[in-house]
Amino acid sequence: MVSKELPFTKEKITEIIADHPTPFHVYDEKNIIANARRMKEAFSIVNGFKEYFAVKALPNPYIMKILKKEGFGADCSSLPELVLAERTGIIGEDIMFSSNDTPAEEFVKAKELGAIINLDDISHIKFLEETAGLPEIVCCRYNPGPLKEGNTIIGNPEEAKYGFTREQLFEGYRLMKEKGVKRFGLHTMVASNELESSYFIETARILFDLVAELSDELDITFDFVNLGGGIGIPYRPEQEQVPYDVIAKGVKEAYDEHIVANDLHPLNIYLECGRVIAGPYGYLITTVRHLKHIYKDYVGTDACMANLMRPGLYGAYHHITVLGKENEKNTNLYDVTGSLCENNDKFAIDRMLPEVESGDILAIHDSGAHGHAMGFNYNGKLRSAEILLRNDGSFVQIRRAETIEDHFATLDLEGLDKFE
Ligand SMILES: *Cc1c(COP(=O)(O)O)cnc(C)c1O
């Protein structure tokens, strides 16, 4: 069980709403920092630990700046994400650039920033060399494919579009060594929202094994392994937090067995998590507009899929609290909906809640990762503001809401008037 208690009161939210109308996402700085420190502390037992925050989960430079202060780097996957990192003062090897199907200008920018480039395909070695030039350090992403032993923990990566095959890794590192690359990294990521600690330990084992084989066969030295992201979060109250210390201990054991024993120490251990860093510390705040009673009972809110599309897209569960009714019994069965003309624009289906009235304020939990970031403008819906609830209880708007002018900014409406 995990507590779904809110880190703010209805009064605080009402105070924010006075300046910033709903819907908006509110992020809880205090717990973002506390969680970052928990992760660092747990992983301090492994060699050279660093977390590269996956920017795509919550691409807001204010959040990135908070995490930078905690010693986190940035895992970027596009040119705008690289620019955000640069603008936040995250540069050099504090950036991991893990892209796929990458255009030349992204490699050029990543190289210019001194980022660690994590290649997604063997053909990108030549492409990188021709476009940006090969840097001193390069990482390759491994796709374990159809694992011989049929690893039940890792699942079925052969369906995933990412990474090098095992054979391609040997060929790729050999080629890069010939071309003068001096330092190497090895990366993999084949799971998402994974709650099972053993998965990450198993991933580490696979990578450590491979580092040993590659180092031996090619006579190269690895600087680091990057275990990827994918640590899950307890969206449902009956789920449990992934214990960082269990993963860290398991990784350390595997390290001692495969790396220290093979004389390959020191090797740095990196993660590039997004969800577990930001997800639980964001809340979509929305006001109930209309109640509707047809074959089912609907709570209509002023937010929609454009603000949080995980429920509509994946049928994902997001906990909902009716502010000020935290201690009331869940007596009513509702579908909680948005206003998009799409029937899957529902934040919850068949959810038991206290009796809801028009004007009630809802907090939709765990919106901190892949929430605002996945927003879109379909149906002319505008993306909301983002508010940071600070350590000292004050709040600051860290992104304003979109306006109709923003929405039309890419249309030439004067041209329209002359258009016959
Ligand atoms: C999405 C992604 C991450 C972050 O995943 P989370 O599930 O948010 O931890 C990390 N690395 C890569 C390459 C990704 O695509």
Side-chain angles (χ1 to χ4, degrees), residues 313-375:
L313 191 63
Y314 314 121
Y317 179 95
H318 280 259
H319 200 68
I320 297 177
T321 301
V322 186
L323 297 193
K325 297 186 178 176
E326 287 86 343
N327 298 318
E328 288 184 22
K329 285 215 162 63
N330 293 333
T331 47
N332 291 49
L333 186 68
Y334 295 113
D335 279 12
V336 180
T337 71
S339 55
L340 213 100
C341 300
E342 272 289 339
N343 193 41
N344 57 351
D345 183 22
K346 293 178 179 172
F347 294 114
I349 296 172
D350 295 334
R351 183 73 54 89
M352 290 300 293
L353 292 173
E355 180 160 8
V356 174
E357 294 153 272
S358 176
D360 275 347
I361 304 163
L362 309 183
I364 304 180
H365 293 236
D366 302 308
S367 75
H370 316 295
H372 188 283
M374 284 176 124

Coordinates of all heavy atoms in Angstrom, one line a residue, residues 313-375:
L313 N -5.2 7.1 -23.4 CA -4.3 6.4 -24.3 C -4.0 4.9 -23.9 O -4.0 4.0 -24.7 CB -2.9 7.1 -24.3 CG -1.9 6.8 -25.4 CD1 -2.5 7.0 -26.8 CD2 -0.6 7.6 -25.2
Y314 N -3.7 4.7 -22.6 CA -3.4 3.4 -22.2 C -4.4 2.7 -21.2 O -4.2 1.7 -20.7 CB -2.1 3.4 -21.4 CG -0.9 4.2 -22.0 CD1 -0.3 5.2 -21.2 CD2 -0.4 3.8 -23.2 CE1 0.8 5.9 -21.8 CE2 0.7 4.5 -23.7 CZ 1.3 5.6 -23.0 OH 2.3 6.3 -23.5
G315 N -5.5 3.4 -20.9 CA -6.4 2.9 -19.9 C -5.7 3.0 -18.5 O -6.1 2.2 -17.6
A316 N -4.7 3.9 -18.4 CA -4.0 3.9 -17.1 C -4.8 4.4 -16.0 O -5.6 5.3 -16.1 CB -2.7 4.8 -17.3
Y317 N -4.5 3.9 -14.8 CA -5.2 4.3 -13.6 C -4.4 5.5 -13.0 O -3.2 5.5 -12.9 CB -5.1 3.2 -12.5 CG -5.7 3.6 -11.2 CD1 -7.1 3.3 -10.9 CD2 -5.0 4.3 -10.2 CE1 -7.7 3.6 -9.7 CE2 -5.6 4.7 -9.0 CZ -6.9 4.3 -8.8 OH -7.5 4.7 -7.6
H318 N -5.2 6.6 -12.7 CA -4.7 7.7 -11.9 C -5.6 7.9 -10.8 O -6.8 8.1 -11.0 CB -4.6 9.0 -12.8 CG -3.3 9.0 -13.7 ND1 -2.2 9.7 -13.4 CD2 -3.1 8.4 -14.8 CE1 -1.3 9.6 -14.3 NE2 -1.8 8.7 -15.2
H319 N -5.1 8.0 -9.6 CA -5.9 8.2 -8.4 C -6.5 9.6 -8.4 O -5.9 10.5 -9.0 CB -5.0 8.0 -7.2 CG -5.8 7.7 -5.9 ND1 -6.5 6.5 -5.7 CD2 -6.0 8.5 -4.8 CE1 -7.1 6.5 -4.6 NE2 -6.8 7.7 -4.0
I320 N -7.7 9.7 -7.9 CA -8.4 11.0 -7.9 C -8.8 11.3 -6.4 O -9.4 10.5 -5.8 CB -9.6 11.0 -8.8 CG1 -9.1 10.8 -10.3 CG2 -10.4 12.3 -8.7 CD1 -10.3 10.8 -11.3
T321 N -8.5 12.5 -6.0 CA -9.0 13.0 -4.7 C -9.9 14.2 -4.9 O -9.5 15.1 -5.7 CB -7.8 13.4 -3.8 OG1 -6.9 12.3 -3.6 CG2 -8.3 13.8 -2.4
V322 N -11.0 14.2 -4.2 CA -11.9 15.3 -4.3 C -11.5 16.2 -3.1 O -11.6 15.8 -1.9 CB -13.4 14.9 -4.1 CG1 -14.3 16.2 -4.3 CG2 -13.8 13.8 -5.1
L323 N -11.0 17.4 -3.4 CA -10.4 18.3 -2.3 C -11.5 18.6 -1.3 O -12.6 19.0 -1.7 CB -9.8 19.5 -2.9 CG -8.6 19.3 -3.8 CD1 -7.9 20.6 -4.1 CD2 -7.6 18.3 -3.3
G324 N -11.1 18.6 0.0 CA -12.0 18.9 1.0 C -12.9 17.7 1.4 O -13.7 17.8 2.4
K325 N -12.9 16.6 0.6 CA -13.8 15.5 0.9 C -12.9 14.2 1.2 O -13.3 13.1 1.0 CB -14.7 15.2 -0.3 CG -15.7 16.4 -0.5 CD -16.8 16.1 -1.5 CE -17.7 17.3 -1.6 NZ -18.8 17.1 -2.7
E326 N -11.6 14.5 1.6 CA -10.7 13.4 1.8 C -11.2 12.4 2.8 O -10.8 11.2 2.7 CB -9.3 14.0 2.3 CG -8.5 14.7 1.2 CD -8.9 16.2 1.1 OE1 -9.9 16.6 1.6 OE2 -8.1 16.9 0.5
N327 N -11.9 12.9 3.7 CA -12.4 11.9 4.8 C -13.8 11.4 4.6 O -14.3 10.7 5.5 CB -12.2 12.6 6.2 CG -10.8 13.0 6.4 OD1 -9.9 12.2 6.1 ND2 -10.5 14.2 6.9
E328 N -14.4 11.8 3.5 CA -15.8 11.2 3.2 C -15.7 9.9 2.6 O -14.7 9.5 2.0 CB -16.5 12.2 2.3 CG -16.9 13.5 3.0 CD -17.7 14.4 2.2 OE1 -18.4 14.0 1.2 OE2 -17.7 15.6 2.5
K329 N -16.8 9.1 2.8 CA -16.8 7.8 2.2 C -17.0 7.8 0.7 O -17.7 8.7 0.2 CB -18.0 7.0 2.8 CG -17.8 6.6 4.2 CD -18.5 5.2 4.5 CE -17.9 4.5 5.7 NZ -18.2 5.2 6.9
N330 N -16.4 6.8 0.0 CA -16.6 6.7 -1.5 C -17.9 6.0 -1.7 O -18.0 4.8 -1.7 CB -15.5 5.9 -2.1 CG -14.1 6.6 -2.0 OD1 -14.1 7.9 -2.0 ND2 -13.1 5.9 -2.0
T331 N -19.0 6.8 -1.9 CA -20.4 6.3 -2.0 C -20.9 6.2 -3.4 O -21.9 5.5 -3.6 CB -21.3 7.2 -1.2 OG1 -21.0 8.6 -1.6 CG2 -21.1 7.1 0.3
N332 N -20.2 6.9 -4.3 CA -20.8 7.1 -5.7 C -19.9 6.5 -6.8 O -18.7 6.7 -6.7 CB -21.1 8.5 -6.0 CG -22.3 9.1 -5.1 OD1 -22.3 8.9 -3.9 ND2 -23.2 9.7 -5.8
L333 N -20.5 5.9 -7.8 CA -19.8 5.4 -8.9 C -19.8 6.3 -10.1 O -20.9 6.6 -10.5 CB -20.3 4.0 -9.3 CG -19.6 3.2 -10.3 CD1 -18.2 2.7 -9.8 CD2 -20.4 2.0 -10.8
Y334 N -18.7 6.8 -10.5 CA -18.6 7.8 -11.6 C -17.6 7.4 -12.7 O -16.7 6.7 -12.5 CB -18.1 9.1 -11.1 CG -19.0 9.8 -10.1 CD1 -18.5 10.0 -8.7 CD2 -20.2 10.4 -10.4 CE1 -19.3 10.6 -7.8 CE2 -21.0 11.0 -9.5 CZ -20.5 11.2 -8.2 OH -21.3 11.8 -7.2
D335 N -17.9 8.0 -13.9 CA -16.8 8.1 -14.9 C -16.5 9.6 -14.8 O -17.3 10.5 -14.8 CB -17.4 7.8 -16.3 CG -17.4 6.3 -16.6 OD1 -17.3 5.5 -15.7 OD2 -17.6 6.0 -17.8
V336 N -15.2 9.9 -14.7 CA -14.7 11.2 -14.6 C -14.2 11.6 -16.0 O -13.2 11.0 -16.5 CB -13.6 11.4 -13.5 CG1 -13.1 12.8 -13.5 CG2 -14.1 10.9 -12.2
T337 N -14.8 12.6 -16.6 CA -14.5 12.9 -18.0 C -13.9 14.2 -18.3 O -14.0 15.1 -17.4 CB -15.8 12.8 -18.9 OG1 -16.6 13.9 -18.6 CG2 -16.5 11.5 -18.6
G338 N -13.3 14.4 -19.5 CA -12.9 15.7 -20.0 C -13.9 16.2 -21.0 O -15.0 15.5 -21.2
S339 N -13.6 17.2 -21.7 CA -14.5 17.9 -22.7 C -14.2 17.6 -24.1 O -14.7 18.3 -25.0 CB -14.6 19.4 -22.4 OG -13.3 19.9 -22.5
L340 N -13.2 16.7 -24.4 CA -12.8 16.4 -25.8 C -13.9 15.6 -26.5 O -14.5 14.8 -25.8 CB -11.5 15.7 -25.7 CG -10.6 16.0 -26.9 CD1 -9.5 17.0 -26.5 CD2 -9.9 14.7 -27.3
C341 N -14.1 15.8 -27.8 CA -15.1 15.0 -28.5 C -14.4 13.6 -28.9 O -14.2 13.3 -30.0 CB -15.5 15.7 -29.8 SG -16.3 17.3 -29.4
E342 N -14.1 12.9 -27.8 CA -13.5 11.5 -27.9 C -14.0 10.8 -26.8 O -13.9 11.2 -25.6 CB -12.0 11.6 -27.8 CG -11.2 11.9 -29.0 CD -11.1 10.7 -30.0 OE1 -11.4 9.6 -29.5 OE2 -10.9 11.0 -31.1
N343 N -14.6 9.6 -27.0 CA -15.2 8.9 -25.8 C -14.2 8.4 -24.9 O -14.5 8.1 -23.7 CB -16.2 7.8 -26.3 CG -17.0 7.4 -25.1 OD1 -17.5 8.2 -24.3 ND2 -17.2 6.0 -25.0
N344 N -12.9 8.3 -25.3 CA -11.9 7.8 -24.4 C -11.3 8.9 -23.6 O -10.3 8.8 -22.9 CB -10.8 6.9 -25.1 CG -10.1 7.7 -26.2 OD1 -10.6 8.8 -26.6 ND2 -9.1 7.1 -26.7
D345 N -11.9 10.1 -23.7 CA -11.4 11.3 -22.9 C -12.0 11.1 -21.5 O -12.9 11.9 -21.1 CB -11.8 12.6 -23.5 CG -11.3 13.8 -22.7 OD1 -10.3 13.6 -22.0 OD2 -11.9 14.9 -22.9
K346 N -11.5 10.1 -20.8 CA -12.0 9.9 -19.4 C -10.8 9.7 -18.5 O -9.9 8.9 -18.8 CB -12.8 8.6 -19.4 CG -14.1 8.7 -20.2 CD -14.9 7.4 -20.2 CE -16.2 7.5 -20.9 NZ -16.9 6.3 -21.1
F347 N -10.8 10.4 -17.4 CA -9.7 10.2 -16.4 C -9.9 9.0 -15.5 O -8.9 8.5 -15.0 CB -9.6 11.5 -15.5 CG -9.2 12.7 -16.3 CD1 -10.0 13.8 -16.4 CD2 -7.9 12.8 -16.9 CE1 -9.7 14.9 -17.2 CE2 -7.5 13.9 -17.6 CZ -8.4 15.0 -17.7
A348 N -11.1 8.6 -15.4 CA -11.4 7.4 -14.6 C -12.7 6.8 -15.1 O -13.7 7.5 -15.5 CB -11.5 7.7 -13.2
I349 N -12.8 5.5 -15.1 CA -14.0 4.8 -15.5 C -14.5 4.0 -14.3 O -13.6 3.3 -13.7 CB -13.8 3.9 -16.7 CG1 -13.4 4.8 -17.9 CG2 -15.0 3.0 -17.0 CD1 -13.0 4.0 -19.2
D350 N -15.7 4.0 -13.9 CA -16.3 3.3 -12.8 C -15.4 3.5 -11.5 O -15.0 2.5 -10.9 CB -16.4 1.8 -13.1 CG -17.3 1.5 -14.3 OD1 -18.3 2.3 -14.4 OD2 -17.2 0.5 -15.0
R351 N -15.3 4.7 -11.2 CA -14.5 5.0 -10.0 C -15.4 5.4 -8.8 O -16.3 6.2 -9.0 CB -13.6 6.2 -10.3 CG -12.6 6.6 -9.1 CD -11.5 5.7 -8.9 NE -10.7 5.4 -10.1 CZ -9.6 6.1 -10.5 NH1 -9.2 7.1 -9.7 NH2 -9.0 5.8 -11.6
M352 N -15.2 4.8 -7.7 CA -15.9 5.2 -6.5 C -15.3 6.4 -5.9 O -14.1 6.5 -5.6 CB -15.9 4.0 -5.4 CG -16.6 2.8 -5.8 SD -18.4 3.0 -6.1 CE -18.9 3.4 -4.4
L353 N -16.2 7.4 -5.7 CA -15.7 8.7 -5.1 C -16.8 9.2 -4.1 O -17.9 8.7 -4.2 CB -15.6 9.8 -6.2 CG -14.4 9.6 -7.2 CD1 -14.5 10.6 -8.3 CD2 -13.0 9.7 -6.5
P354 N -16.5 10.1 -3.2 CA -17.5 10.7 -2.5 C -18.5 11.5 -3.4 O -18.1 11.7 -4.6 CB -16.8 11.8 -1.6 CG -15.3 11.4 -1.7 CD -15.1 10.7 -3.0
E355 N -19.7 11.8 -3.0 CA -20.6 12.5 -3.8 C -20.0 13.8 -4.3 O -19.5 14.6 -3.6 CB -21.9 12.8 -3.1 CG -22.9 13.5 -4.1 CD -24.3 13.5 -3.6 OE1 -24.6 13.0 -2.5 OE2 -25.2 13.9 -4.4
V356 N -19.9 14.0 -5.7 CA -19.3 15.1 -6.3 C -20.3 16.1 -6.7 O -21.4 15.8 -7.2 CB -18.5 14.6 -7.5 CG1 -17.9 15.8 -8.3 CG2 -17.3 13.7 -7.1
E357 N -20.0 17.4 -6.5 CA -20.9 18.5 -6.9 C -20.1 19.4 -7.9 O -18.9 19.5 -7.9 CB -21.3 19.3 -5.7 CG -22.1 18.6 -4.7 CD -21.9 19.2 -3.3 OE1 -21.0 18.8 -2.6 OE2 -22.7 20.1 -3.0
S358 N -20.9 20.1 -8.7 CA -20.3 21.1 -9.6 C -19.5 22.1 -8.7 O -20.0 22.5 -7.7 CB -21.5 21.8 -10.3 OG -21.0 22.9 -11.1
G359 N -18.3 22.5 -9.2 CA -17.5 23.4 -8.4 C -16.5 22.7 -7.5 O -15.5 23.3 -7.1
D360 N -16.6 21.4 -7.3 CA -15.6 20.7 -6.6 C -14.3 20.7 -7.3 O -14.3 20.7 -8.5 CB -16.0 19.2 -6.4 CG -17.0 19.0 -5.2 OD1 -17.1 19.9 -4.4 OD2 -17.6 17.9 -5.1
I361 N -13.2 20.7 -6.5 CA -11.9 20.7 -7.2 C -11.3 19.2 -7.0 O -11.3 18.7 -5.9 CB -11.0 21.7 -6.5 CG1 -11.6 23.1 -6.5 CG2 -9.6 21.7 -7.1 CD1 -10.9 24.0 -5.5
L362 N -10.8 18.7 -8.1 CA -10.3 17.4 -8.1 C -8.8 17.5 -8.3 O -8.3 18.3 -9.0 CB -10.8 16.5 -9.2 CG -12.3 16.4 -9.4 CD1 -12.6 15.4 -10.6 CD2 -13.0 15.9 -8.2
A363 N -8.0 16.6 -7.5 CA -6.6 16.4 -7.8 C -6.4 15.0 -8.4 O -6.8 14.0 -7.8 CB -5.8 16.5 -6.5
I364 N -5.9 15.0 -9.7 CA -5.7 13.8 -10.3 C -4.2 13.5 -10.1 O -3.3 14.3 -10.5 CB -6.0 13.8 -11.8 CG1 -7.5 14.3 -12.0 CG2 -5.7 12.5 -12.5 CD1 -8.0 14.4 -13.4
H365 N -3.9 12.4 -9.4 CA -2.5 12.1 -8.9 C -1.6 11.7 -10.0 O -2.0 11.2 -11.1 CB -2.6 11.0 -7.9 CG -3.3 11.4 -6.6 ND1 -2.8 11.3 -5.4 CD2 -4.6 11.9 -6.4 CE1 -3.6 11.7 -4.5 NE2 -4.8 12.0 -5.1
D366 N -0.3 11.7 -9.7 CA 0.8 11.1 -10.5 C 0.9 11.7 -11.9 O 1.1 10.9 -12.8 CB 0.6 9.6 -10.5 CG 0.7 9.0 -9.0 OD1 1.6 9.3 -8.3 OD2 -0.3 8.3 -8.7
S367 N 0.6 13.0 -12.0 CA 0.7 13.6 -13.4 C 2.0 14.2 -13.7 O 2.2 14.9 -14.7 CB -0.4 14.6 -13.5 OG 0.0 15.8 -12.8
G368 N 3.0 14.0 -12.8 CA 4.3 14.7 -12.9 C 5.2 14.2 -14.1 O 6.1 14.9 -14.5
A369 N 4.9 13.0 -14.5 CA 5.7 12.5 -15.7 C 4.8 12.0 -16.8 O 3.7 11.4 -16.5 CB 6.5 11.3 -15.2
H370 N 5.1 12.4 -18.0 CA 4.3 12.0 -19.2 C 2.9 12.6 -19.0 O 1.9 11.9 -19.4 CB 4.3 10.5 -19.4 CG 5.7 9.9 -19.3 ND1 6.7 10.2 -20.1 CD2 6.2 9.0 -18.4 CE1 7.8 9.5 -19.8 NE2 7.5 8.8 -18.7
G371 N 2.7 13.7 -18.3 CA 1.4 14.3 -18.1 C 1.3 15.5 -19.0 O 1.0 15.4 -20.2
H372 N 1.7 16.7 -18.5 CA 1.7 17.9 -19.4 C 2.5 17.7 -20.6 O 2.2 18.1 -21.7 CB 2.3 19.1 -18.6 CG 2.2 20.4 -19.3 ND1 3.0 20.8 -20.4 CD2 1.3 21.4 -19.2 CE1 2.6 22.0 -20.8 NE2 1.6 22.4 -20.1
A373 N 3.6 16.9 -20.5 CA 4.5 16.7 -21.6 C 3.9 16.0 -22.8 O 4.3 16.3 -23.9 CB 5.7 15.8 -21.1
M374 N 2.9 15.2 -22.6 CA 2.2 14.5 -23.7 C 1.1 15.4 -24.3 O 0.3 14.9 -25.1 CB 1.7 13.2 -23.3 CG 2.8 12.1 -23.1 SD 2.0 10.6 -22.5 CE 2.5 9.4 -23.7
G375 N 0.9 16.6 -23.8 CA -0.2 17.4 -24.2 C -0.3 17.6 -25.7 O 0.7 17.5 -26.4

